[in-house]
Amino acid sequence: MILDSLMLKTYKIVISGRVQGVGFRPYVFVLATKNHLTGTISNNEKGVIIYLTGSGLEVQSFYQELINNPPPVSLIQKSDIHEISFQEFEDLRIVPSTIEGKLNLPLTPDFAICENCKNEIIDQENRRYNYPFTTCVNCGPRWAITNTFPFERSNTTIDDFQMCTVCKNEYTNPENRRFHSQTNTCKTCGIEMVLRDNEGVKLHISKEAIFIKAAALIRDGKIIAIKNTSGYLLCCDANNGRVIQIMRHKKRRPKKPFAVLYPSLNLLEQHFKINKKQHRAFQSTQRPIVIIPNTNVQGYLALADIAPDLNQIGIMLPYTGILELLSTELKIPVIATSGNLHGSPILFDDKESFAVLKNVADYFLDHDLEILNPQDDSVVKFSTKFDHEVLFRRSRGYAPNYFGTKINTNEKILAMGGHLKSTIAFLPNDYLYISQYLGNLDNYDVYKRFTNTVEKFVSLFDQKPDVVLIDSHPAYQSSLYGKEITKKEASVLYEIQHHKAHFASVLGEHELFEDTSAILGVVWDGTGYGDDGQIWGGEFFRYQTNKIERISHFEYFDWLAGDKMAKEPRISLLSLINSDMESVLEGKFNEEEISIYTAIKKRNKLKTSSVGRLFDGVAALLGICDINTYEGEAAILLENKVDHYNLENYRTYCEVKNEGLIPTSIILKNIYVDFKNGINKEQIILNFLFTLASIIIDFARTNKFEKIACSGGVFQNTVLIDMLKELAGKKNKLYFNRNLAPNDENISYGQIMYYLNCRKH
Ligand SMILES: [Zn+2]
Ligand SMILES: [Zn+2]
């Protein structure tokens, strides 16, 4: 026994998952050294491959520790160890990557700057003092600068910079925390920042003074375009209403709220009350924008200019060295919004950004690190009562991986997603990849970004799709492009109804397809092309044994004026009311408009069941919003009129019956009566939300569903989610999207889930 354990053996270990660009090989090196092992460690297309020779006991103890206690930002999904024929190694080495097949591992997302690196760049004694591109194996850009995989310097744009001797020493020293850090650079050898005015003239200041100067300019009321590591941001003083309004005007963004970058958690906590979950999100490696209530703010912020008419504000903390150093100098909160014009994708290319943003920004803080995969900041919000997390936008820090669903298929599947909040999903190997949020495909630049992303995914994995999934809407740009691809690649085309894809996304996220009981699907959003050619958006489905069927919906009302209806809540109101309610339209239309729309309404055949448009109609009725200046404005303003609620105080505007449709017209009629009777708006809104929540729970109970899965943009309403949870109690189990946004960002994933689980029925 003892002899056996001392005999030397060789093992092959394969680790898959998020194991590249996360300091895995250096970690293995140190751990194997500690256990007196020799051999080789390398990356390949599947993950990390380790060959080790040593005593069986030592190899086992090494393996156990590695699996139970892996490097902080890694994520092991599969691991395998087995003995192979004995091999003698001279020493222990990290050897260059070897690629034998096609890429089959998760891609690594960007990580927010870690505490150690952050401390170094503000420490005057440190050699990285003031160096904004300070990174280590646990932090820094990854996906943003990735050309291809495995994650090696030569496959990223950091390769444009040669490590100096000191950096190289860090890189080769197992004791150093930058041992094998692929993104290692410093002031001597690395990326340089330049400050220019909006005519392109470089400001003559020393390297050391760049952030001091940039901070002074912001304090002085200037707008600065900052090239971050994942795309351009536009920044200005969040206390200065005048400059914020100038930026709104130039960006053509009259009211949509801006995100605010706080210099530190410390100051943020002095100004706002932050709960535990928000706290964790603010400091996570994804470091998203977190939407929090703006009531009882202690510090001075130009709130009315930052988030007009809203009781909430989106805030984030510095996630790169650039933002950290700027914040250290500034010490005040600043607006930090995606560098683009309203509706266009975030800019990332130096020349194009300069051409577009010189009309918005007074100065440019640029650098020469090339960005390959631009990403907006991600956005999350927690509900007030139950702290339920809703992802509003899934981008930097989360993309391009999706974890959490076990998938078994050999088919290579590409899903084209929706239209308004487009994303793509690709299943080229054992993993599922979902792109960052790309935006509204009506915008030509977004469409270009979308097609580039598809091309990048296909070429990166070197896999042609066998199947292309598209939304059944005949005019979605994503569907048209999907059809083009199927022609080019000779793939099979498969159409999936929009709301069924939404439902399938929740079933997939919670692995409910194998569940034997029937599940109620509640899918409410703005629009989606229905199987009957009408515009759906207030749907009830039943899922059982791989079959989704529509079992009810909101009673149809007129779909008027095409896309204009989503932009003008007053048109939804006009569509929803009957003739004895016409007085509510007063002041909302001129006479000519009224006669045109009334004529259209008379001969209109296209109908909708959209709950999104019902929200719009209610918002217009209550005088909250007649015309949206940004997508979803009316619904956001409506939710924002209410703060806290107490379920006992509300009544429902309609009863759910066993059979038949949800009576949209009765709901609106009852709201109208309350409004005419002078009931206050907040009460009416809460009654309305209570009505919607009750409809879901009552519908589930009268139809004997225990499990309810909700998806669609309406479920970004966190008051509705809280009410639902409270009403469901222990009797009903609720499921929502959790690692994906409830809005159309989840369509691409839902399409894949539907195709894999429901297509045969
Ligand atoms: Zn770090
Ligand atoms: Zn260096």
Side-chain angles (χ1 to χ4, degrees):
M1 187 68 192
I2 290 168
L3 261 180
D4 188 50
S5 68
L6 287 175
M7 232 166 69
L8 297 182
K9 293 174 179 175
T10 303
Y11 292 84
K12 180 181 180 183
I13 300 169
V14 182
I15 313 271
S16 308
R18 191 166 80 201
V19 292
Q20 295 188 3
V22 294
F24 212 91
R25 290 175 299 173
Y27 185 84
V28 167
F29 183 93
V30 172
L31 197 60
T33 309
K34 212 175 85 187
N35 284 284
H36 318 102
L37 306 169
T38 58
T40 64
I41 306 154
S42 68
N43 279 345
N44 77 355
E45 71 283 356
K46 289 194 185 116
V48 176
I49 309 295
I50 309 160
Y51 292 94
L52 290 175
T53 294
S55 82
L57 269 181
E58 278 169 332
V59 174
Q60 280 304 334
S61 108
F62 157 84
Y63 183 68
Q64 285 314 320
E65 187 164 353
L66 179 66
I67 300 305
N68 297 330
N69 195 16
V73 290
S74 68
L75 196 84
I76 297 178
Q77 287 184 297
K78 273 183 265 175
S79 62
D80 177 67
I81 177 167
H82 61 268
E83 197 182 335
I84 55 170
S85 55
F86 179 76
Q87 261 179 278
E88 203 170 337
F89 295 101
E90 262 174 48
D91 53 10
L92 182 65
R93 257 179 223 189
I94 295 177
V95 297
S97 296
T98 49
I99 300 178
E100 286 151 17
K102 292 184 179 178
L103 184 61
N104 189 11
L105 84 165
L107 304 177
T108 310
D110 296 352
F111 298 115
I113 187 168
C114 74
E115 278 303 299
N116 287 335
C117 288
K118 185 177 134 183
N119 291 335
E120 284 183 13
I121 62 175
I122 52 173
D123 171 11
Q124 299 201 15
E125 305 297 310
N126 193 287
R127 79 179 196 93
R128 282 194 172 77
Y129 174 62
N130 224 355
Y131 180 60
F133 298 91
T134 300
T135 61
C136 70
V137 295
N138 296 325
C139 76
R142 302 285 191 271
W143 174 235
I145 55 166
T146 295
N147 216 336
T148 180
F149 270 71
F151 193 83
E152 297 285 357
R153 192 180 185 101
S154 58
N155 290 335
T156 71
T157 53
I158 293 274
D159 201 39
D160 296 346
F161 306 88
Q162 285 269 332
M163 273 188 276
C164 67
T165 326
V166 188
C167 283
K168 195 114 210 180
N169 286 341
E170 292 170 343
Y171 184 85
T172 49
N173 175 8
E175 313 270 293
N176 194 286
R177 68 184 195 86
R178 293 197 173 85
F179 179 45
H180 269 267
S181 168
Q182 302 303 318
T183 53
N184 199 24
T185 59
C186 75
K187 259 180 236 179
T188 317
C189 61
I191 307 141
E192 255 182 63
M193 298 221 72
V194 230
L195 193 55
R196 290 192 183 91
D197 66 18
N198 61 6
E199 298 197 327
V201 180
K202 202 171 147 182
L203 268 59
H204 287 285
I205 38 173
S206 69
K207 268 193 222 172
E208 286 69 34
I210 275 196
F211 287 100
I212 299 173
K213 180 70 184 171
L217 289 168
I218 288 178
R219 254 187 255 111
D220 200 29
K222 301 286 190 280
I223 299 170
I224 305 198
I226 298 176
K227 187 182 180 190
N228 209 1
T229 51
S230 43
Y232 274 82
L233 291 175
L234 284 165
C235 296
C236 69
D237 183 354
N239 294 344
N240 183 337
R242 192 191 57 86
V243 68
I244 297 170
Q245 285 308 332
I246 293 173
M247 186 148 92
R248 286 200 172 282
H249 178 71
K250 290 180 169 175
K251 228 173 115 65
R252 293 179 227 148
R253 179 164 156 156
K255 281 182 153 179
K256 192 177 178 189
F258 284 132
V260 174
L261 172 75
Y262 255 73
S264 65
L265 188 63
N266 197 355
L267 189 71
L268 178 60
E269 286 187 307
Q270 287 172 31
H271 290 184
F272 292 89
K273 223 174 143 244
I274 308 291
N275 71 26
K276 227 194 247 163
K277 281 200 176 174
Q278 291 162 343
H279 204 275
R280 210 180 304 143
F282 274 123
Q283 292 189 293
S284 65
T285 57
Q286 291 92 352
R287 212 153 299 180
I289 294 168
V290 186
I291 299 175
I292 60 173
N294 70 13
T295 35
N296 307 318
V297 189
Q298 295 304 308
Y300 176 66
L301 284 172
L303 283 177
D305 302 293
I306 297 169
D309 307 320
L310 297 180
N311 65 12
Q312 60 181 18
I313 183 168
I315 290 176
M316 62 180 168
L317 292 177
Y319 54 86
T320 60
I322 300 170
L323 298 182
E324 189 64 56
L325 289 171
L326 181 71
S327 297
T328 307
E329 288 304 332
L330 261 170
K331 300 183 183 68
I332 55 167
V334 291
I335 303 289
T337 184
S338 298
N340 56 12
L341 293 184
H342 186 48
S344 297
I346 184 168
L347 292 158
F348 65 105
D349 170 79
D350 296 14
K351 274 198 191 125
E352 191 189 351
S353 305
F354 183 76
V356 176
L357 297 179
K358 69 177 183 194
N359 302 315
V360 181
D362 302 301
Y363 293 89
F364 285 76
L365 189 53
D366 276 320
H367 58 74
D368 47 359
L369 175 67
E370 194 189 345
I371 298 168
L372 297 172
N373 298 301
Q375 300 154 81
D376 292 278
D377 295 313
S378 297
V379 183
V380 304
K381 183 181 171 184
F382 296 88
S383 72
T384 309
K385 199 164 232 166
F386 293 102
D387 251 348
H388 178 88
E389 183 177 8
V390 184
L391 199 52
F392 277 53
R393 184 165 69 202
R394 182 183 172 281
S395 192
R396 177 188 51 76
Y398 299 90
N401 299 294
Y402 177 81
F403 298 111
T405 310
K406 283 182 223 97
I407 294 168
N408 249 331
T409 178
N410 290 324
E411 278 182 300
K412 319 288 177 220
I413 308 170
L414 174 66
M416 310 303 287
H419 183 84
L420 266 185
K421 290 179 186 290
S422 62
T423 61
I424 60 155
F426 194 29
L427 185 65
N429 50 36
D430 296 345
Y431 300 93
L432 175 61
Y433 306 85
I434 302 178
S435 73
Q436 60 271 28
Y437 153 86
L438 296 164
N440 182 347
L441 295 174
D442 279 336
N443 180 300
Y444 181 68
D445 292 325
V446 174
Y447 178 69
K448 264 198 312 198
R449 184 78 49 94
F450 177 84
T451 57
N452 287 343
T453 307
V454 173
E455 280 165 19
K456 166 123 198 187
F457 272 49
V458 170
S459 73
L460 182 62
F461 297 101
D462 190 21
Q463 295 281 12
K464 290 184 174 179
D466 302 318
V467 184
V468 176
L469 308 178
I470 59 169
D471 192 282
S472 51
H473 196 301
Y476 274 8
Q477 289 301 326
S478 55
S479 304
L480 297 172
Y481 185 62
K483 285 181 185 169
E484 263 177 54
I485 295 175
T486 47
K487 274 194 203 131
K488 205 171 83 195
E489 308 283 9
S491 330
V492 174
L493 184 75
Y494 192 86
E495 286 184 10
I496 293 161
Q497 199 279 325
H498 190 88
H499 302 92
K500 291 178 186 170
H502 268 309
F503 185 19
S505 78
V506 188
L507 294 172
E509 284 218 79
H510 295 272
E511 305 205 310
L512 291 170
F513 285 107
E514 300 305 316
D515 207 287
T516 48
S517 57
I519 299 167
L520 173 64
V522 180
V523 182
W524 294 352
D525 67 358
T527 55
Y529 188 75
D531 288 339
D532 57 359
Q534 307 291 15
I535 309 292
W536 292 7
E539 311 309 307
F540 293 83
F541 296 100
R542 171 198 173 87
Y543 171 81
Q544 198 164 22
T545 49
N546 305 97
K547 191 175 170 189
I548 289 179
E549 54 180 328
R550 188 192 196 203
I551 50 174
S552 186
H553 59 89
F554 274 67
E555 181 187 272
Y556 282 138
F557 52 101
D558 285 299
W559 180 260
L560 302 173
D563 289 349
K564 226 176 159 187
M565 190 170 186
K567 290 180 184 130
E568 302 189 9
R570 60 180 188 159
I571 299 177
S572 291
L573 179 63
L574 184 140
S575 164
L576 281 159
I577 57 167
N578 55 37
S579 53
D580 56 355
M581 291 153 70
E582 269 164 11
S583 64
V584 295
L585 298 179
E586 251 165 58
K588 296 189 191 295
F589 296 91
N590 62 36
E591 268 175 39
E592 195 191 344
E593 285 170 330
I594 278 284
S595 65
I596 293 172
Y597 285 123
T598 317
I600 297 177
K601 193 174 166 179
K602 267 189 197 132
R603 55 167 200 269
N604 176 61
K605 293 220 167 56
L606 194 56
K607 304 283 176 184
T608 185
S609 51
S610 166
V611 176
R613 295 298 83 82
L614 176 61
F615 266 88
D616 284 354
V618 173
L621 172 68
L622 299 180
I624 291 167
C625 182
D626 287 336
I627 295 178
N628 284 342
T629 66
Y630 57 92
E631 200 241 322
E633 182 175 3
I636 293 169
L637 290 174
L638 194 94
E639 182 182 4
N640 263 264
K641 291 278 173 223
V642 297
D643 206 355
H644 290 283
Y645 73 86
N646 182 348
L647 276 191
E648 282 151 30
N649 300 337
Y650 313 116
R651 64 187 186 83
T652 166
Y653 286 128
C654 81
E655 300 297 327
V656 171
K657 301 205 184 74
N658 216 341
E659 309 245 314
L661 306 178
I662 306 301
T664 320
S665 51
I666 293 179
I667 296 172
L668 202 91
K669 171 94 190 178
N670 286 330
I671 292 176
Y672 169 79
V673 171
D674 268 6
F675 181 64
K676 281 286 161 190
N677 287 337
I679 308 283
N680 76 55
K681 284 180 195 174
E682 186 181 319
Q683 177 75 34
I684 294 176
I685 293 166
L686 285 164
N687 284 345
F688 173 55
L689 294 174
F690 178 70
T691 303
L692 295 176
S694 304
I695 286 171
I696 294 174
I697 300 298
D698 293 348
F699 189 95
R701 287 180 186 163
T702 45
N703 292 286
K704 311 243 174 329
F705 288 99
E706 190 218 334
K707 294 177 179 162
I708 308 168
C710 304
S711 187
V714 169
F715 296 97
Q716 290 182 161
N717 188 311
T718 52
V719 178
L720 179 62
I721 289 176
D722 275 347
M723 282 188 177
L724 268 172
K725 289 195 151 193
E726 199 165 343
L727 285 175
K730 290 204 168 73
K731 277 198 195 150
N732 289 92
K733 184 108 181 69
L734 288 163
Y735 299 91
F736 300 94
N737 290 104
R738 56 178 168 194
N739 295 314
L740 297 170
N743 60 41
D744 282 6
E745 280 181 45
N746 72 43
I747 291 290
S748 58
Y749 168 79
Q751 288 168 338
I752 291 188
M753 288 300 113
Y754 184 93
Y755 178 80
L756 290 176
N757 297 285
C758 304
R759 77 175 184 278
K760 287 178 187 127
H761 295 268

